[in-house]
Amino acid sequence: MKVVLSIAGSDSSGGAGIQADLKTMTAHKVYGMTAITALTAQNTTGVTAIMESTPEFLGQQIEACLSDIPCDAAKIGMLPSAEQVKVVHEKLTKFKVKNLVLDPVMVATSGSSLMKNETVEIMAKFLFPISRVITPNIPEAQALTGLTITKREEMEKAAEDLGTKYGCAVLIKGGHSIEDASDVLFDEGKITWFEGKRIDSSNTHGTGCTLSSAIASNLALGKSLEDAIRNAKSYISDAIASGLNLGKGSGPLDHTVNI
């Protein structure tokens, strides 16, 4: 069985973070391991408290996993501190982890901030260059590039700017786009669009976590990056459309929709 490591925060309500990642990995029939960067008290309406793992303990979790069970891919989500970023870089480099999918989680779907501003620059410096692909949404891409993104051409430029600067593939997610829910990939000089229709649903809690872990799962299974994204996008569309309708805010996805 293929193995995927998730390095991310815990969502007490089960819709995002580590919990969403493990559900997604199970749905893709890969074995999921975890290194928890933070505990959060949150639900569909927002995040009320965050307790960070110490950098030392985060490193120990990763070391414990990878020294015993090598992974075929890894996914990185919430990283609250620059010290954590450096530890993650050290461990992933030590164990020569490939197929790294990085979701630069800056703000939760509910609008709650999940990353300190000073951490973003360190994350870009240390982790973007070792990633197979990074998956920012439009607000995150705007923060990373300083560009204003309101149309497809501007999504393409932002993806190309980031990919050229850091030497990694960049998938900018169009879920926040006013046009549609299509995503754009820049990889080794090539632009590829993944078309998608906007689904009329408020059940979008954990969409970024789910997409990035689905891409990592598909890469672990041997899919090309384009096929991994295409498969992941299909999975997440089904999971949103299923409509669990749980909670008083932005509800979670149905991660078991295809099981």
Side-chain angles (χ1 to χ4, degrees):
M1 178 175 277
K2 299 299 184 181
V3 177
V4 180
L5 170 66
S6 172
I7 303 171
S10 167
D11 172 7
S12 55
S13 67
I18 289 290
Q19 288 82 348
D21 293 341
L22 287 176
K23 293 173 187 177
T24 300
M25 293 169 192
T26 299
H28 285 81
K29 299 181 180 179
V30 301
Y31 183 81
M33 301 190 296
T34 65
I36 298 177
T37 62
L39 301 178
T40 69
Q42 68 171 293
N43 54 31
T44 62
T45 65
V47 180
T48 55
I50 298 175
M51 180 184 295
E52 296 180 19
S53 298
T54 65
E56 294 77 14
F57 183 60
L58 176 58
Q60 289 167 348
Q61 292 179 76
I62 299 171
E63 182 90 22
C65 289
L66 298 182
S67 64
D68 185 36
I69 306 175
C71 67
D72 300 286
K75 168 259 169 77
I76 296 176
M78 176 187 179
L79 283 173
S81 73
E83 292 75 17
Q84 284 191 354
V85 169
K86 293 175 182 178
V87 166
V88 169
H89 175 268
E90 174 193 341
K91 297 300 181 182
L92 295 184
T93 303
K94 174 182 177 179
F95 288 99
K96 298 180 173 61
V97 172
K98 298 179 180 180
N99 293 322
L100 176 61
V101 180
L102 192 156
D103 182 22
V105 182
M106 300 177 189
V107 179
T109 303
S110 62
S112 301
S113 178
L114 297 175
M115 182 182 288
K116 299 170 185 174
N117 291 335
E118 63 268 23
T119 305
V120 176
E121 184 177 344
I122 300 297
M123 177 182 64
K125 176 182 177 181
F126 282 90
L127 296 181
F128 284 12
I130 66 171
S131 297
R132 178 66 185 94
V133 62
I134 63 172
T135 62
N137 58 33
I138 287 177
E140 289 161 350
Q142 290 181 141
L144 289 166
T145 62
L147 300 173
T148 298
I149 302 173
T150 58
K151 52 188 178 181
R152 288 167 73 108
E153 293 81 6
E154 291 164 347
M155 288 176 67
E156 291 181 358
K157 176 169 175 49
E160 183 174 357
D161 285 358
L162 287 170
T164 301
K165 182 175 182 178
Y166 295 106
C168 60
V170 180
L171 179 73
I172 296 185
K173 299 172 292 190
H176 291 76
S177 173
I178 60 173
E179 294 182 20
D180 51 39
S182 298
D183 306 332
V184 64
L185 173 70
F186 176 81
D187 185 23
E188 297 181 345
K190 178 184 176 184
I191 290 286
T192 304
W193 278 94
F194 299 87
E195 304 297 337
K197 295 181 179 179
R198 189 176 302 281
I199 300 170
D200 185 16
S201 173
S202 61
N203 302 315
T204 57
H205 180 60
T207 50
C209 307
T210 301
L211 181 67
S212 56
S213 55
I215 294 172
S217 296
N218 276 280
L219 289 174
L221 291 168
K223 305 295 184 183
S224 68
L225 180 57
E226 287 188 19
D227 284 343
I229 294 170
R230 194 169 288 110
N231 292 349
K233 191 168 176 64
S234 176
Y235 167 72
I236 200 171
S237 295
D238 290 345
I240 293 173
S242 180
L244 283 181
N245 296 319
L246 298 176
K248 299 175 182 177
S250 179
L253 283 60
D254 182 0
H255 293 95
T256 61
V257 61
N258 294 326
I259 296 179

